[in-house]
Amino acid sequence: MKPHRIIIDADPGVDDAAAILMALGSPEVDLLGLSIVAGNVPLEATVANACKIVALTGRGDVPVHAGAAGPLVRDQVYGKYAHIGAFNDSLVPAGDVVPSAENAVQFLVRSTRAAAAANDPITICAIGPLTNIALALIQHPDVARGIRRIVSMGGAFTALGHRTPWAEFNLLADPHAADIVYHSGVPIVMMPLDVTLQALFTEQHFVAFRRGGAAGQALCNLFTTFDRSDIARFGRPGGPIHDAMTIAWLIRPGLFKGCDTYVGVEVAGVTMGYTYADFHDKLGRAANATVITEVDETGFIGLLLDRIARHGDTENAEIAGGVKA
Ligand code: RIB
Ligand code: CA
């Protein structure tokens, strides 16, 4: 089967790092580049973190493009873990990857236009605020023809929000961008908190990341340093790795269940960023998204561990002087 040609739009972010490494460890995925946005931390730090993650894998051929430093309309908000900032060298070693001179929005426009011309549209895995993607679609609506679908980590329907009682962070950070993307006509696959919180990773999983060579060790460092577990909220030990689910869905969609429905987002007031889904078709509006509602937790965790471990296989093969088939 032909690899999925994808662009990851991200705000690294610890779980973004896991998603990027999962994509780079998966032969089913051809990662064309990263478009980076402010979100978890300010843009300068998300770009630096993205460069470090790519450098860990020796994939300097994967370009990192800096994009929007803030949301379209609302005031800037950063993630709950904004204190992480740029990944410390002691956790993720400095690398040799520097960002491209091409802005992320221009990269998205150029890549999707070329994909449309080749009649081979691209999948965008959107795992941060949707600002870059909204800007590309506003400025050049034709680019929609070059986007096969957007697989987006964001929103909360039956789950409560976690940055406000109503809103998941990526939606809270730029609800206007999400509103534009959801009504662009581009097929959307949504991974809301409803499903990302069904898979919780524990210390034993983080230690298992170490099978992934330098990349896996760095991921283990990040997840063991910044404890994201919340027994009071999740009801059991462990914490989510939200963003990696977008990659897992592309590789193994059979691990997931979902349904097509109309979704919308609040763009003003105290519930800004609140997402709603018309699961019982009360509004009579055409479905604009596939909302993923269930995941096979064991299957997802095993898939992520396997793809991170492949970085170790590659590293060992290179050390042995072989060329991994
Ligand atoms: O709410 C979780 C999402 O917000 C994840 O993508 C995380 O990286 C942050 O961007
Ligand atoms: Ca993210």
PDB file of all heavy atoms in Angstrom, residues 11 13-16 39-40 79 127-129 153-154 162 168-170 193 228 242-243, ligand 1:
ATOM      1  N   ASP A  11       2.369  21.925  17.632  1.00  0.00           N
ATOM      2  CA  ASP A  11       2.854  22.914  18.613  1.00  0.00           C
ATOM      3  C   ASP A  11       3.675  22.196  19.686  1.00  0.00           C
ATOM      4  O   ASP A  11       3.333  22.209  20.875  1.00  0.00           O
ATOM      5  CB  ASP A  11       1.694  23.691  19.249  1.00  0.00           C
ATOM      6  CG  ASP A  11       0.756  22.778  20.051  1.00  0.00           C
ATOM      7  OD1 ASP A  11       0.640  21.575  19.728  1.00  0.00           O
ATOM      8  OD2 ASP A  11       0.147  23.268  21.034  1.00  0.00           O
ATOM      9  N   GLY A  13       5.649  20.907  22.600  1.00  0.00           N
ATOM     10  CA  GLY A  13       4.696  19.914  23.066  1.00  0.00           C
ATOM     11  C   GLY A  13       5.269  18.501  23.131  1.00  0.00           C
ATOM     12  O   GLY A  13       5.851  17.992  22.177  1.00  0.00           O
ATOM     13  N   VAL A  14       5.035  17.961  24.338  1.00  0.00           N
ATOM     14  CA  VAL A  14       5.552  16.630  24.621  1.00  0.00           C
ATOM     15  C   VAL A  14       4.809  15.589  23.808  1.00  0.00           C
ATOM     16  O   VAL A  14       5.406  14.715  23.174  1.00  0.00           O
ATOM     17  CB  VAL A  14       5.447  16.335  26.141  1.00  0.00           C
ATOM     18  CG1 VAL A  14       5.922  14.933  26.440  1.00  0.00           C
ATOM     19  CG2 VAL A  14       6.296  17.315  26.934  1.00  0.00           C
ATOM     20  N   ASP A  15       3.467  15.669  23.763  1.00  0.00           N
ATOM     21  CA  ASP A  15       2.751  14.638  23.011  1.00  0.00           C
ATOM     22  C   ASP A  15       2.873  14.847  21.512  1.00  0.00           C
ATOM     23  O   ASP A  15       2.806  13.886  20.724  1.00  0.00           O
ATOM     24  CB  ASP A  15       1.282  14.512  23.466  1.00  0.00           C
ATOM     25  CG  ASP A  15       0.468  15.772  23.293  1.00  0.00           C
ATOM     26  OD1 ASP A  15       1.028  16.874  23.427  1.00  0.00           O
ATOM     27  OD2 ASP A  15      -0.733  15.656  23.022  1.00  0.00           O
ATOM     28  N   ASP A  16       3.110  16.093  21.094  1.00  0.00           N
ATOM     29  CA  ASP A  16       3.433  16.337  19.677  1.00  0.00           C
ATOM     30  C   ASP A  16       4.724  15.592  19.312  1.00  0.00           C
ATOM     31  O   ASP A  16       4.839  15.006  18.239  1.00  0.00           O
ATOM     32  CB  ASP A  16       3.653  17.824  19.413  1.00  0.00           C
ATOM     33  CG  ASP A  16       2.484  18.698  19.789  1.00  0.00           C
ATOM     34  OD1 ASP A  16       2.230  18.860  20.992  1.00  0.00           O
ATOM     35  OD2 ASP A  16       1.803  19.203  18.889  1.00  0.00           O
ATOM     36  N   GLY A  39       1.405  27.409  20.666  1.00  0.00           N
ATOM     37  CA  GLY A  39       0.305  26.697  21.342  1.00  0.00           C
ATOM     38  C   GLY A  39       0.702  26.284  22.740  1.00  0.00           C
ATOM     39  O   GLY A  39       0.615  27.053  23.682  1.00  0.00           O
ATOM     40  N   ASN A  40       1.219  25.067  22.836  1.00  0.00           N
ATOM     41  CA  ASN A  40       1.685  24.613  24.163  1.00  0.00           C
ATOM     42  C   ASN A  40       2.627  25.650  24.773  1.00  0.00           C
ATOM     43  O   ASN A  40       2.564  25.964  25.959  1.00  0.00           O
ATOM     44  CB  ASN A  40       2.448  23.291  24.026  1.00  0.00           C
ATOM     45  CG  ASN A  40       1.530  22.088  23.996  1.00  0.00           C
ATOM     46  OD1 ASN A  40       0.727  21.906  24.899  1.00  0.00           O
ATOM     47  ND2 ASN A  40       1.612  21.300  22.945  1.00  0.00           N
ATOM     48  N   GLY A  79      -0.360  26.513  26.620  1.00  0.00           N
ATOM     49  CA  GLY A  79      -0.788  25.259  27.230  1.00  0.00           C
ATOM     50  C   GLY A  79      -0.565  25.216  28.725  1.00  0.00           C
ATOM     51  O   GLY A  79       0.168  26.034  29.301  1.00  0.00           O
ATOM     52  N   ILE A 127      -2.264  18.856  15.069  1.00  0.00           N
ATOM     53  CA  ILE A 127      -2.188  18.476  16.486  1.00  0.00           C
ATOM     54  C   ILE A 127      -1.883  19.667  17.387  1.00  0.00           C
ATOM     55  O   ILE A 127      -1.398  19.526  18.520  1.00  0.00           O
ATOM     56  CB  ILE A 127      -1.160  17.354  16.706  1.00  0.00           C
ATOM     57  CG1 ILE A 127       0.218  17.714  16.143  1.00  0.00           C
ATOM     58  CG2 ILE A 127      -1.658  16.069  16.050  1.00  0.00           C
ATOM     59  CD1 ILE A 127       1.280  16.624  16.424  1.00  0.00           C
ATOM     60  N   GLY A 128      -2.171  20.841  16.867  1.00  0.00           N
ATOM     61  CA  GLY A 128      -2.052  22.085  17.645  1.00  0.00           C
ATOM     62  C   GLY A 128      -3.225  22.990  17.274  1.00  0.00           C
ATOM     63  O   GLY A 128      -4.153  22.566  16.579  1.00  0.00           O
ATOM     64  N   PRO A 129      -3.208  24.241  17.736  1.00  0.00           N
ATOM     65  CA  PRO A 129      -4.226  25.201  17.285  1.00  0.00           C
ATOM     66  C   PRO A 129      -4.204  25.285  15.767  1.00  0.00           C
ATOM     67  O   PRO A 129      -3.162  25.159  15.141  1.00  0.00           O
ATOM     68  CB  PRO A 129      -3.755  26.514  17.934  1.00  0.00           C
ATOM     69  CG  PRO A 129      -2.968  26.073  19.146  1.00  0.00           C
ATOM     70  CD  PRO A 129      -2.280  24.802  18.741  1.00  0.00           C
ATOM     71  N   MET A 153      -6.381  16.452  16.239  1.00  0.00           N
ATOM     72  CA  MET A 153      -6.557  16.211  17.674  1.00  0.00           C
ATOM     73  C   MET A 153      -7.145  17.494  18.232  1.00  0.00           C
ATOM     74  O   MET A 153      -6.503  18.549  18.190  1.00  0.00           O
ATOM     75  CB  MET A 153      -5.230  15.906  18.375  1.00  0.00           C
ATOM     76  CG  MET A 153      -5.414  15.447  19.814  1.00  0.00           C
ATOM     77  SD  MET A 153      -5.715  16.839  20.965  1.00  0.00           S
ATOM     78  CE  MET A 153      -7.092  16.186  21.942  1.00  0.00           C
ATOM     79  N   GLY A 154      -8.384  17.399  18.764  1.00  0.00           N
ATOM     80  CA  GLY A 154      -8.956  18.602  19.343  1.00  0.00           C
ATOM     81  C   GLY A 154     -10.415  18.380  19.671  1.00  0.00           C
ATOM     82  O   GLY A 154     -11.049  17.439  19.207  1.00  0.00           O
ATOM     83  N   HIS A 162     -10.390  20.692  29.448  1.00  0.00           N
ATOM     84  CA  HIS A 162      -9.351  20.581  30.484  1.00  0.00           C
ATOM     85  C   HIS A 162      -8.590  21.894  30.714  1.00  0.00           C
ATOM     86  O   HIS A 162      -7.877  22.039  31.695  1.00  0.00           O
ATOM     87  CB  HIS A 162      -8.367  19.441  30.188  1.00  0.00           C
ATOM     88  CG  HIS A 162      -7.695  19.569  28.871  1.00  0.00           C
ATOM     89  ND1 HIS A 162      -6.675  18.737  28.455  1.00  0.00           N
ATOM     90  CD2 HIS A 162      -7.892  20.431  27.857  1.00  0.00           C
ATOM     91  CE1 HIS A 162      -6.275  19.087  27.255  1.00  0.00           C
ATOM     92  NE2 HIS A 162      -7.009  20.094  26.864  1.00  0.00           N
ATOM     93  N   GLU A 168     -11.292  22.068  25.144  1.00  0.00           N
ATOM     94  CA  GLU A 168     -10.000  21.404  24.992  1.00  0.00           C
ATOM     95  C   GLU A 168      -9.021  22.482  24.518  1.00  0.00           C
ATOM     96  O   GLU A 168      -9.414  23.443  23.844  1.00  0.00           O
ATOM     97  CB  GLU A 168     -10.168  20.270  23.964  1.00  0.00           C
ATOM     98  CG  GLU A 168      -8.916  19.529  23.597  1.00  0.00           C
ATOM     99  CD  GLU A 168      -8.125  20.277  22.532  1.00  0.00           C
ATOM    100  OE1 GLU A 168      -8.755  20.906  21.659  1.00  0.00           O
ATOM    101  OE2 GLU A 168      -6.887  20.271  22.616  1.00  0.00           O
ATOM    102  N   PHE A 169      -7.725  22.310  24.772  1.00  0.00           N
ATOM    103  CA  PHE A 169      -6.792  23.406  24.562  1.00  0.00           C
ATOM    104  C   PHE A 169      -6.671  23.870  23.107  1.00  0.00           C
ATOM    105  O   PHE A 169      -6.706  25.073  22.823  1.00  0.00           O
ATOM    106  CB  PHE A 169      -5.388  23.046  25.099  1.00  0.00           C
ATOM    107  CG  PHE A 169      -4.391  24.104  24.725  1.00  0.00           C
ATOM    108  CD1 PHE A 169      -4.393  25.329  25.381  1.00  0.00           C
ATOM    109  CD2 PHE A 169      -3.510  23.906  23.669  1.00  0.00           C
ATOM    110  CE1 PHE A 169      -3.519  26.334  25.009  1.00  0.00           C
ATOM    111  CE2 PHE A 169      -2.619  24.904  23.300  1.00  0.00           C
ATOM    112  CZ  PHE A 169      -2.626  26.127  23.967  1.00  0.00           C
ATOM    113  N   ASN A 170      -6.503  22.933  22.160  1.00  0.00           N
ATOM    114  CA  ASN A 170      -6.281  23.358  20.767  1.00  0.00           C
ATOM    115  C   ASN A 170      -7.439  24.209  20.250  1.00  0.00           C
ATOM    116  O   ASN A 170      -7.251  25.133  19.453  1.00  0.00           O
ATOM    117  CB  ASN A 170      -6.072  22.149  19.856  1.00  0.00           C
ATOM    118  CG  ASN A 170      -4.717  21.490  20.063  1.00  0.00           C
ATOM    119  OD1 ASN A 170      -3.762  22.134  20.536  1.00  0.00           O
ATOM    120  ND2 ASN A 170      -4.622  20.214  19.761  1.00  0.00           N
ATOM    121  N   LEU A 193     -10.959  14.837  23.201  1.00  0.00           N
ATOM    122  CA  LEU A 193     -10.555  14.287  24.502  1.00  0.00           C
ATOM    123  C   LEU A 193     -11.369  13.041  24.834  1.00  0.00           C
ATOM    124  O   LEU A 193     -10.884  12.137  25.528  1.00  0.00           O
ATOM    125  CB  LEU A 193     -10.770  15.332  25.602  1.00  0.00           C
ATOM    126  CG  LEU A 193      -9.870  16.562  25.594  1.00  0.00           C
ATOM    127  CD1 LEU A 193     -10.256  17.489  26.749  1.00  0.00           C
ATOM    128  CD2 LEU A 193      -8.399  16.187  25.670  1.00  0.00           C
ATOM    129  N   ARG A 228       2.052  13.790  33.653  1.00  0.00           N
ATOM    130  CA  ARG A 228       0.733  14.237  33.155  1.00  0.00           C
ATOM    131  C   ARG A 228      -0.388  13.338  33.660  1.00  0.00           C
ATOM    132  O   ARG A 228      -1.495  13.357  33.131  1.00  0.00           O
ATOM    133  CB  ARG A 228       0.783  14.259  31.622  1.00  0.00           C
ATOM    134  CG  ARG A 228       1.835  15.238  31.100  1.00  0.00           C
ATOM    135  CD  ARG A 228       2.527  14.716  29.831  1.00  0.00           C
ATOM    136  NE  ARG A 228       1.575  14.418  28.801  1.00  0.00           N
ATOM    137  CZ  ARG A 228       1.159  15.305  27.900  1.00  0.00           C
ATOM    138  NH1 ARG A 228       1.629  16.531  27.940  1.00  0.00           N
ATOM    139  NH2 ARG A 228       0.289  14.988  26.990  1.00  0.00           N
ATOM    140  N   HIS A 242      -2.139  12.508  23.626  1.00  0.00           N
ATOM    141  CA  HIS A 242      -3.233  12.872  22.729  1.00  0.00           C
ATOM    142  C   HIS A 242      -2.844  12.765  21.243  1.00  0.00           C
ATOM    143  O   HIS A 242      -3.500  12.107  20.458  1.00  0.00           O
ATOM    144  CB  HIS A 242      -3.680  14.318  22.988  1.00  0.00           C
ATOM    145  CG  HIS A 242      -4.045  14.635  24.397  1.00  0.00           C
ATOM    146  ND1 HIS A 242      -5.267  14.311  24.972  1.00  0.00           N
ATOM    147  CD2 HIS A 242      -3.336  15.289  25.359  1.00  0.00           C
ATOM    148  CE1 HIS A 242      -5.287  14.754  26.213  1.00  0.00           C
ATOM    149  NE2 HIS A 242      -4.140  15.333  26.487  1.00  0.00           N
ATOM    150  N   ASP A 243      -1.779  13.489  20.884  1.00  0.00           N
ATOM    151  CA  ASP A 243      -1.499  13.736  19.466  1.00  0.00           C
ATOM    152  C   ASP A 243      -1.150  12.488  18.672  1.00  0.00           C
ATOM    153  O   ASP A 243      -1.429  12.420  17.471  1.00  0.00           O
ATOM    154  CB  ASP A 243      -0.361  14.765  19.342  1.00  0.00           C
ATOM    155  CG  ASP A 243      -0.788  16.129  19.868  1.00  0.00           C
ATOM    156  OD1 ASP A 243      -2.002  16.415  19.852  1.00  0.00           O
ATOM    157  OD2 ASP A 243       0.086  16.898  20.300  1.00  0.00           O
TER     158      ASP A 243
HETATM  159  O1  RIB B   1      -5.511  19.265  24.534  1.00  0.00           O
HETATM  160  C1  RIB B   1      -4.401  18.542  24.098  1.00  0.00           C
HETATM  161  C2  RIB B   1      -3.759  19.210  22.926  1.00  0.00           C
HETATM  162  O2  RIB B   1      -3.296  20.515  23.296  1.00  0.00           O
HETATM  163  C3  RIB B   1      -2.512  18.457  22.455  1.00  0.00           C
HETATM  164  O3  RIB B   1      -2.347  18.636  21.079  1.00  0.00           O
HETATM  165  C4  RIB B   1      -1.418  19.136  23.208  1.00  0.00           C
HETATM  166  O4  RIB B   1      -0.145  18.999  22.573  1.00  0.00           O
HETATM  167  C5  RIB B   1      -1.880  20.569  23.158  1.00  0.00           C
HETATM  168  O5  RIB B   1      -1.536  21.096  21.878  1.00  0.00           O
END
